[in-house]
């Protein structure tokens, strides 16, 4: 241990006190031993350090900071250097605001396009997500503060995220849902990891020994600190035994006492607690070092704004450009239509909300560009309400223009932490507007602002489509730069766009509505499914157009790398994202037709040629063998493919590998769907064969009393009439708030109330409600009204007395507030 001397001077109370927060954002301090508090803040779209009341859903404003494009946006740049630059800038702002730990990046997979937090994640591909995540981490940590990669792991839906059980086979877990985290740990060398809310195969992730110890600590060699998501602790001692050091936010000492009692009872050895304390101390002291020397406290906001602009420019994807309508000519008269042009949609909602230092809008940026804008009309209500008069005004303006710039997208309350989207469609009032404008003029350029994939049945009515995703505070100016040709678009999609939602592989198993969610599609998510099952898509993974063209040639494959040439065959400078895919020719083990195993972005002037080398690494040919329980290489011939997208392979080569001689992991006859890749309707028997055990029950047992890990939504069938009444009152409040147009307020209900487990009431209230009081609430919920009220009031008074006693003592250890609670 690094800090054995300090730990030897600590009391058991003091050790336990360090294991949970002092308040909502800070860790505990012990002044007599020189142990300072750390401050943790949300990110990484930008720093969200709150100056006033604390919350975890972005409901209160934070100190101004640069709002960068979201991870889903920057992923389209395919540029690790850019990711590192963003990370470095975030690190500088963290230091200026005296933040020790920046809570990001998020590297969860985009298993399903409706996940409400997809805007905060990079990709459907673990290799791309891992490489970009590691780049962010290196940049953040270069400034002396810590990154915290999240949410570890298999957290791919927002509905019931605090209690859902993710059922996934071991191979899929390793190859798809853990690889990005592995890269973040090994290559990014992240100093901290945030455990996710959900269960994984029956165990909460922060209590999962296989995940936390066998893989994270022993296999990957992670020696940093694991932090719970806010309110994400279930059994505090079980989490500590698994190596989850820091619980956030504070429980006002309640769980500290649980740790002390567990040590005294022998449930956990004090030496194990010491190891957890040592890792936390390392994070405190390492991130505190930057504040013990001179550092910037005032930053150049304009410089950081221009970095955000560069990030947005490189991430814009040109999806369609019929008859080269773009870039715009200076003589073009344009009509700007769409509410997002006036008030940009530039970031997601929830814990990543940033209070930007500067905020651009398209109208101002167009005026500065020299393009002749003949006028603006909003065209639609931002939140979906039909308004025929707005459409008529927009059409009247469009009649006078050469080109219509039509700004469309999803609103702020559709994509948000805590709830999933209901469908993949644009609001109907926006598509109605597009249809009406098409009757006036065919020269429509659609500019999209949304953080995730959408259906586009209307695309034939647009001559061009530019997707800016959520471009941050400088996104509007970046888009104008692309529209005018000052910047040649070079973004490529980091996720597949299916033709419709029904065609996605997880359509029948998303989201998990009750106990669990089953990942029946196994390794076949995103392009791995569409390419293998030969399913047509709207836009493939890795797709993106340019204002110039590129030619590929001269592929050479060696044992260590693939080399090839790329030439700019157009008349405009541009950048091309070249992509390495690998496919195994053997069919002895089911595998995707191709998988991304490398990429390189190259900038070329007209007629310039460059030679690109993409090295092979330890992930290029591996697969996880469930019989040997380790990574193996299959003896086979492998296709080496260089593409402009997963569906546009320009060059091919091959290589023969001897492999690791591992036994075959599967009985082919028991897994027919997986061997064809057609996994949209996997049977119970086949999924059981894949898992290697029976499928756990997925439905609530309504005959049992509700307990700590049941959700407030389950009050609908509670025995207590008070609970059922509360459930219907909550439902009515949600309906009523939406009805009167208060959608942001309405969303607070599913985000922070409806799907919260009862234990969350205690975990998220900082000691206002403790577990003994929660026992009283559960008695009321389960039909013992008077007994529950008595218990609740008794425990409330007891808590009040303990706080009064504590406030008169001299003790600096907050966990003395609580004794073990008694149950009736």
């Amino acid at each position: 241990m690094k800090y054995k001397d300090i730990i030897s001077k600590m009391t058991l109370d003091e050790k336990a006190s360090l294991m949970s927060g002092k308040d909502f954002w800070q860790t505990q301090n012990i002044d007599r031993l020189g142990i300072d508090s750390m401050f943790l803040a949300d990110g990484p779209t930008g720093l969200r350090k709150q100056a006033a009341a604390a919350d975890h859903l972005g409901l209160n404003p934070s100190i101004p900071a640069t709002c960068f494009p979201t991870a889903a946006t920057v992923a389209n740049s395919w540029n690790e250097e850019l990711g590192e630059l963003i990370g470095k800038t975030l690190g500088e702002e963290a230091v200026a605001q005296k933040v020790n730990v920046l809570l990001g990046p998020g590297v969860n997979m985009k298993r399903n396009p409706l996940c409400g937090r997809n805007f905060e994640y990079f990709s459907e591909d673990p290799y791309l997500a891992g490489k970009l995540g590691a780049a962010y981490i290196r940049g953040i940590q270069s400034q002396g503060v810590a990154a915290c990669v999240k949410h570890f792991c298999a957290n791919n839906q927002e509905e019931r995220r605090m209690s859902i059980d993710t059922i996934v086979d071991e191979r899929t877990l390793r190859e798809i849902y853990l690889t990005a985290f592995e890269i973040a740990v090994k290559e990014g060398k992240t100093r901290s990891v945030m455990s996710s809310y959900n269960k994984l195969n029956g165990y909460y992730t922060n209590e999962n020994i296989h995940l936390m110890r066998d893989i994270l600590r022993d296999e990957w060699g992670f020696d940093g600190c694991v932090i719970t998501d806010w309110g994400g602790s279930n059994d505090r001692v079980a989490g500590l035994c698994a190596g989850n050091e820091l619980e956030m936010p504070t429980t006002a000492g309640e769980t500290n006492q649980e740790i002390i009692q567990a040590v005294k009872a022998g449930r956990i050895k004090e030496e194990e607690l010491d190891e957890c304390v040592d890792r936390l101390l390392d994070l405190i002291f390492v991130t505190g070092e930057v504040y013990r020397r001179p550092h910037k406290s005032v930053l150049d906001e304009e410089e950081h704004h221009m970095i955000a602009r560069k990030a947005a420019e490189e991430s814009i994807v040109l999806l369609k450009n019929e008859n080269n309508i773009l870039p715009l000519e200076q003589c073009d008269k344009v009509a700007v239509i769409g509410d997002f042009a006036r008030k940009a949609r530039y970031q997601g909602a929830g814990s990543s909300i940033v209070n930007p230092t500067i905020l651009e809008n398209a109208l101002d940026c167009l005026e500065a560009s020299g393009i002749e804008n003949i006028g603006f009309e909003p065209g639609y209500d931002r939140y979906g309400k039909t308004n025929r008069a707005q459409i008529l005004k927009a059409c009247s303006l469009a009649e006078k223009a050469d080109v219509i710039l039509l700004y469309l997208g999803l609103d702020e309350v559709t994509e948000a932490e805590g709830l999933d989207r209901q469908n993949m469609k644009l609001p109907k009032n926006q598509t109605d507007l597009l249809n009406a404008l098409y009757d006036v003029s065919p020269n429509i350029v659609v500019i999209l602002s949304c953080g995730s994939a959408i259906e586009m049945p209307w695309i034939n009515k647009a001559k061009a489509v530019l997707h800016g995703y959520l471009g941050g505070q400088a996104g509007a100016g970046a888009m104008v730069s692309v529209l005018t040709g000052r910047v040649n678009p070079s973004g490529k999609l980091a996720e597949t766009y299916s033709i419709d939602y029904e065609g996605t592989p997880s359509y029948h198993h998303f989201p998990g509505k009750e106990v669990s969610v089953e990942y029946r599609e196994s390794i076949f998510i995103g392009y791995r499914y569409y390419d293998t099952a030969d399913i047509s898509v709207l836009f493939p993974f890795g797709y993106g157009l340019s204002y110039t063209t590129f030619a590929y040639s001269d592929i050479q494959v060696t044992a260590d790398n693939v080399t090839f040439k790329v030439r700019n065959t157009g008349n405009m400078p541009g950048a091309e994202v070249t992509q390495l895919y690998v496919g195994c020719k053997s069919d002895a083990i089911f595998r995707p037709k191709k998988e991304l195993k490398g990429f390189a972005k190259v900038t070329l002037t007209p007629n310039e040629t460059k030679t690109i080398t993409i090295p092979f690494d330890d992930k290029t040919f591996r697969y996880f063998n469930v019989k040997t329980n380790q990574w193996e290489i299959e003896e086979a011939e492998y296709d080496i493919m260089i593409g402009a997208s997963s569906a546009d392979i320009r060059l091919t080569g091959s290589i023969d590998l001897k492999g690791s001689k591992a036994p075959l992991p599967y009985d082919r006859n028991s897994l027919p769907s997986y061997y064809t890749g057609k996994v949209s309707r996997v049977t119970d028997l086949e999924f059981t064969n894949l898992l290697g055990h029976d499928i756990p029950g997925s439905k609530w047992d309504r005959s049992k009393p509700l307990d700590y890990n049941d959700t407030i939504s389950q009050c609908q069938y509670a025995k207590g009439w008070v609970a059922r009444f509360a459930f219907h009152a909550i439902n009515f409040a949600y309906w009523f708030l939406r009805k009167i147009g208060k959608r942001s307020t309405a969303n607070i209900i599913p985000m922070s109330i409806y799907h919260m487990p009862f234990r969350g009431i205690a975990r998220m209230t900082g000691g206002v409600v403790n577990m003994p009081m929660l026992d009283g609430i559960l008695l009321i919920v389960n039909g013992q009204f008077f007994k529950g009220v008595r218990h609740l009031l008794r425990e409330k008074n007891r808590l009040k007395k303990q706080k009064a006693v504590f406030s008169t003592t001299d003790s600096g250890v907050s966990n003395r507030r609580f004794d073990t609670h008694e149950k009736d």
Side-chain angles (χ1 to χ4, degrees):
M1 294 193 301
K2 292 183 180 180
Y3 305 99
K4 192 172 182 178
D5 288 346
I6 295 175
I7 294 171
S8 68
K9 298 173 185 175
M10 296 172 67
T11 66
L12 178 57
D13 282 16
E14 286 173 328
K15 293 174 186 177
S17 76
L18 289 174
M19 296 292 95
S20 62
K22 181 170 70 174
D23 54 29
F24 208 86
W25 296 112
Q26 295 185 90
T27 62
Q28 188 62 260
N29 58 292
I30 303 177
D31 293 339
R32 74 177 187 86
L33 295 174
I35 300 171
D36 297 328
S37 292
M38 287 191 301
F39 198 101
L40 301 90
D42 279 314
T45 301
L47 200 64
R48 192 175 80 91
K49 182 178 180 181
Q50 288 181 262
D55 73 83
H56 192 53
L57 291 171
L59 307 178
N60 297 310
S62 56
I63 296 169
T66 307
C67 182
F68 291 93
T70 64
T73 312
V74 177
N76 296 330
S77 75
W78 296 62
N79 188 336
E80 291 179 73
E81 290 183 4
L82 177 63
E84 197 159 337
L85 175 62
I86 293 170
K88 176 178 176 291
T89 312
L90 286 166
E92 290 175 357
E93 297 202 7
V95 171
Q97 292 195 25
K98 295 187 177 179
V99 168
N100 299 74
V101 180
L102 186 65
L103 302 173
V107 298
N108 294 89
M109 290 297 95
K110 297 184 180 184
R111 173 183 178 244
N112 184 283
L114 300 190
C115 175
R117 214 165 178 180
N118 275 352
F119 63 84
E120 203 171 329
Y121 301 138
F122 289 105
S123 180
E124 68 187 31
D125 182 84
Y127 190 86
L128 178 58
K131 289 290 186 178
L132 289 171
Y136 269 66
I137 291 164
R138 288 192 298 270
I140 291 166
Q141 296 188 165
S142 70
Q143 302 306 298
V145 297
C148 184
V149 68
K150 60 186 185 183
H151 304 87
F152 189 63
C153 67
N155 177 192
N156 307 107
Q157 70 176 63
E158 289 298 286
E159 184 172 327
R160 303 198 72 252
R161 61 178 176 165
M162 293 185 77
S163 56
I164 197 75
D165 190 3
T166 299
I167 309 301
V168 58
D169 68 283
E170 184 72 9
R171 180 184 173 194
T172 300
L173 177 67
R174 297 300 197 101
E175 292 187 15
I176 303 298
Y177 297 100
L178 286 181
T179 291
F181 287 100
E182 179 187 358
I183 295 170
V185 168
K186 291 182 176 179
E187 298 181 22
K189 301 190 183 306
T190 185
R191 292 184 181 129
S192 61
V193 170
M194 182 187 289
S195 56
S196 57
Y197 286 123
N198 57 289
K199 290 180 180 178
L200 175 65
N201 294 324
Y203 299 92
Y204 282 98
T205 57
N206 75 315
E207 301 169 11
N208 192 312
I209 297 292
H210 177 55
L211 181 66
M212 289 292 177
R213 287 200 179 272
D214 298 346
I215 298 174
L216 180 63
R217 301 284 187 192
D218 298 341
E219 187 178 321
W220 297 350
F222 177 68
D223 60 358
C225 182
V226 177
I227 303 167
T228 68
D229 204 338
W230 265 236
S233 176
N234 171 50
D235 183 325
R236 183 65 190 103
V237 176
L240 198 66
C241 289
N244 194 154
E245 286 82 14
L246 180 60
E247 176 189 22
M248 291 299 290
T250 182
T251 59
E254 183 175 20
T255 56
N256 302 349
Q257 192 62 226
E258 293 174 10
I259 294 169
I260 292 167
Q261 291 161 2
V263 171
K264 289 179 177 178
R267 186 179 169 195
I268 184 172
K269 295 178 181 178
E270 191 163 357
E271 292 78 9
E272 293 178 291
L273 175 59
D274 290 349
E275 289 176 6
C276 291
V277 171
D278 190 68
R279 288 192 287 261
L280 180 62
L281 287 178
D282 193 51
L283 185 63
I284 292 170
F285 290 137
V286 167
T287 60
E289 181 60 35
V290 68
Y291 301 112
R292 289 187 281 273
R293 59 178 187 262
H295 58 273
K296 285 184 180 180
S297 57
V298 179
L299 301 172
D300 187 334
E301 290 183 356
E302 187 60 37
E303 179 187 0
H304 286 195
H305 181 75
M306 294 314 295
I307 293 171
R309 169 78 67 83
K310 173 180 169 61
E313 288 174 348
E314 277 208 47
S315 304
I316 291 168
V317 186
L318 179 60
L319 296 174
K320 181 179 181 181
N321 194 21
E322 186 180 319
N323 299 330
N324 293 322
I325 192 172
L326 294 177
L328 298 171
E329 301 289 342
Q330 285 291 323
C331 59
D332 288 335
K333 292 188 295 182
V334 304
V336 181
I337 296 171
D339 190 58
F340 293 127
R342 175 175 56 186
K343 186 181 178 184
R345 170 83 205 288
Y346 63 97
Q347 65 176 331
S351 63
S352 65
I353 284 182
V354 179
N355 184 10
T357 55
I358 302 167
L359 182 58
E360 298 177 348
N361 71 74
L363 297 176
D364 292 340
C365 294
L366 279 166
E367 184 177 349
S369 73
I371 293 292
E372 186 181 352
N373 176 14
I374 64 169
F376 163 77
E377 285 292 339
Y380 55 82
D381 175 81
R382 193 179 192 87
Y383 298 107
K385 190 180 295 185
T386 301
N387 187 324
R388 189 64 191 169
Q390 285 183 320
I391 293 177
L392 293 174
K393 287 181 180 179
C395 289
S396 177
L397 176 65
E399 288 175 345
K400 306 167 189 172
D402 299 318
V403 177
I404 302 164
L405 300 183
L406 179 58
Y407 284 74
L408 304 177
L410 301 177
D411 62 64
E412 291 82 356
V413 296
T414 296
E415 296 178 291
E417 177 181 353
L419 64 157
D420 299 311
R421 286 196 291 158
Q422 298 301 303
N423 56 59
M424 277 183 67
K425 305 177 187 298
L426 282 180
K428 185 177 182 300
N429 66 341
Q430 293 187 31
T431 55
D432 287 346
L433 170 64
L434 173 58
N435 291 333
L437 289 171
Y438 183 74
D439 291 337
V440 173
S441 169
N443 294 329
I444 300 172
V445 175
V446 171
I447 297 149
L448 289 172
S449 300
C450 48
S452 47
I454 58 171
E455 296 172 3
M456 301 185 195
W458 42 262
I459 195 166
N460 289 334
K461 294 184 177 180
K463 273 201 174 172
V465 178
L466 273 170
H467 201 339
Y469 271 68
L470 301 177
Q473 65 182 49
M479 184 61 72
V480 170
S481 293
V482 170
L483 286 167
T484 59
R486 190 186 70 79
V487 169
N488 192 346
S490 62
K492 296 206 173 187
L493 293 175
E495 59 187 322
T496 307
Y497 276 52
S498 62
I499 293 173
D500 54 38
Y501 178 57
E502 290 75 8
T504 58
S506 57
Y507 169 70
H508 294 288
H509 295 279
F510 179 92
K513 286 288 186 181
E514 295 193 11
V515 173
S516 64
V517 56
E518 297 167 2
Y519 286 28
R520 294 199 181 199
E521 71 280 1
S522 182
I523 58 175
F524 297 101
I525 73 167
Y527 71 90
R528 286 169 167 80
Y529 166 69
Y530 299 110
D531 287 358
T532 307
D534 195 24
I535 305 294
S536 296
V537 299
L538 180 63
F539 295 115
F541 176 80
Y543 174 87
L545 301 175
S546 170
Y547 294 152
T548 189
T549 53
F550 301 95
Y552 293 61
S553 64
D554 299 338
I555 186 172
Q556 296 182 33
V557 180
T558 71
D560 299 318
N561 58 50
V562 58
T563 301
F564 55 97
K565 293 179 180 177
V566 179
R567 183 166 68 94
N568 184 340
T569 53
N571 56 11
M572 185 175 183
E576 173 73 336
V577 176
T578 61
Q579 302 156 42
L580 164 64
Y581 295 91
V582 174
C584 181
K585 288 193 171 183
S586 166
D587 62 357
I589 302 167
F590 69 80
R591 301 177 83 152
K593 185 176 182 181
K594 65 174 78 75
E595 296 181 276
L596 182 75
K597 297 296 181 179
F599 56 91
K601 191 168 190 176
V602 56
T603 301
L604 299 165
T605 58
N607 294 316
E608 182 181 12
T609 300
K610 286 184 179 178
T611 299
I612 309 298
T613 299
I614 301 179
F616 301 149
D617 61 21
D618 63 322
K619 298 169 187 65
T620 305
F621 303 106
R622 74 180 189 178
Y623 76 97
F624 192 83
N625 188 303
V626 293
K627 278 193 175 177
T628 64
N629 196 38
Q630 63 185 22
W631 295 100
E632 305 284 2
I633 295 176
E634 184 180 0
E635 181 173 347
E637 181 182 359
Y638 291 81
D639 286 325
I640 306 300
M641 297 165 270
I642 301 299
S645 78
S646 65
D648 184 9
I649 302 302
R650 302 291 183 90
L651 303 170
T652 59
S654 64
I655 188 172
D656 290 304
L657 296 178
K658 294 295 182 184
S660 52
K661 312 294 184 183
L664 293 177
Y666 303 115
D667 171 16
R668 183 190 189 105
N669 293 328
S670 68
L671 301 170
S673 298
Y674 296 107
Y675 275 86
T676 62
K678 296 179 180 180
V679 294
S680 62
R681 288 187 177 271
V682 172
T683 64
D684 288 356
L685 176 60
E686 205 171 341
F687 190 48
T688 298
N689 293 337
L690 180 70
L691 290 173
H693 56 76
D694 290 340
I695 304 168
S698 62
K699 300 295 184 182
W700 289 318
D701 184 348
R702 288 164 169 77
S703 66
K704 290 184 177 180
L706 299 182
D707 62 21
Y708 295 145
N709 288 319
D710 289 313
T711 64
I712 293 169
S713 66
Q714 290 170 256
C715 284
Q716 61 189 290
Y717 59 81
K719 291 182 180 178
W721 67 267
V722 173
R724 295 195 302 274
F725 176 81
F727 169 80
H728 291 297
I730 289 168
N731 265 2
F732 175 78
Y734 179 69
W735 171 84
F736 181 73
L737 287 167
R738 288 181 64 89
K739 188 74 173 176
I740 64 174
K742 301 287 186 180
R743 291 181 62 195
S744 293
T745 307
N747 278 354
I748 296 170
I749 292 172
M751 287 167 71
S752 59
I753 300 173
Y754 195 77
H755 297 299
M756 180 184 286
F758 283 98
R759 62 177 162 81
I761 298 171
R763 296 294 190 234
M764 291 292 280
T765 55
V768 174
V769 176
N770 63 9
M771 295 301 281
M773 292 169 65
L774 185 58
D775 290 335
I777 293 171
L778 284 169
L779 285 170
I780 295 169
V781 166
N782 288 310
Q784 300 182 65
F785 178 78
F786 294 106
K787 187 177 182 181
V789 170
R790 286 197 303 270
H791 185 100
L792 178 62
L793 293 176
R794 182 171 66 248
E795 293 299 339
K796 182 180 179 182
N797 289 332
R798 189 167 176 236
L799 176 63
K800 186 177 180 180
K801 289 176 183 177
Q802 287 174 340
K803 288 184 176 181
V805 169
F806 178 81
S807 65
T808 63
T809 68
D810 217 4
S811 173
V813 183
S814 61
N815 58 34
R816 290 184 179 173
R817 298 179 194 181
F818 294 95
D819 301 322
T820 307
H821 61 268
E822 300 171 359
K823 293 185 179 179
D824 289 313

